[in-house]
Amino acid sequence: MSKHVSISPSEAADRLAIRELVEAYAHCADRRDAQGQMSLFTADTHFVVFMNAKDPKPSQELNSREALAPVFADLNKYAATTHFVGQSTIFTLAAERATGEAYCLAHHVTVDGEKRRLMVASLRYLDTFVKVDSAWLFAERLLYVDWLDERALS
């Protein structure tokens, strides 16, 4: 367990803003707000997906905010999604740069006629954040899929 120390109001505000950024990402995904989701990233963002967290070779690598559009639009193939953001840790925090990790359980529902399926993915994000015009944004987001489970829904 970590030792608690006093932090400045400025650091507390930055930590809260970063947590809210992580949560806004999940909220936008579940609301199919691709433009809102893209606005959470720097223009020259680096977004990397590892569909198998144990494989060092990425499945997908994108290098701009605009390149994220089809990735976020791909969520439209699901009837519903729910992303539960779990623990998040800030590893480093400076005036305008931070790094951290966030866990997420992503639930994706597919409907095909009378058939409904649920896919649950355990995700980890390794993030680099930057503060631009007093707002925290993702400069880099590495998405690791630790496991997937698919099943029929009743």
Side-chain angles (χ1 to χ4, degrees), residues 92-106:
T92 63
L93 178 61
E96 295 183 358
R97 192 167 187 82
T99 60
E101 180 179 48
Y103 282 68
C104 178
L105 284 177

Side-chain angles (χ1 to χ4, degrees), residues 81-99:
T81 60
T82 303
H83 292 74
F84 287 106
V85 177
Q87 70 268 27
S88 61
T89 303
I90 295 176
F91 297 134
T92 63
L93 178 61
E96 295 183 358
R97 192 167 187 82
T99 60

Side-chain angles (χ1 to χ4, degrees), residues 14-80:
D14 285 338
R15 287 177 177 276
L16 178 59
I18 289 168
R19 175 64 188 203
E20 288 176 342
L21 174 66
V22 170
E23 291 172 351
Y25 177 90
H27 176 83
C28 288
D30 291 338
R31 298 295 169 263
R32 304 301 184 272
D33 181 3
Q35 290 302 314
Q37 207 169 7
M38 289 168 56
S39 74
L40 304 174
F41 290 82
T42 59
D44 63 346
T45 198
H46 186 224
F47 188 88
V48 186
V49 178
F50 296 86
M51 287 303 292
N52 176 355
K54 294 179 181 170
D55 186 350
K57 186 174 185 257
S59 312
Q60 189 172 32
E61 188 167 359
L62 305 167
N63 291 296
S64 72
R65 180 188 298 143
E66 289 74 28
L68 298 172
V71 174
F72 298 152
D74 193 48
L75 288 172
N76 290 318
K77 69 183 176 187
Y78 299 105

Side-chain angles (χ1 to χ4, degrees), residues 106-139:
H107 300 71
H108 300 80
V109 176
T110 305
V111 177
D112 182 13
E114 294 292 316
K115 296 179 184 176
R116 294 176 2 136
R117 297 199 53 80
L118 172 66
M119 185 267 288
V120 179
S122 176
L123 310 176
R124 281 181 301 115
Y125 295 95
L126 291 180
D127 296 314
T128 301
F129 311 98
V130 293
K131 198 175 199 180
V132 178
D133 297 329
S134 301
W136 286 97
L137 299 172
F138 294 106

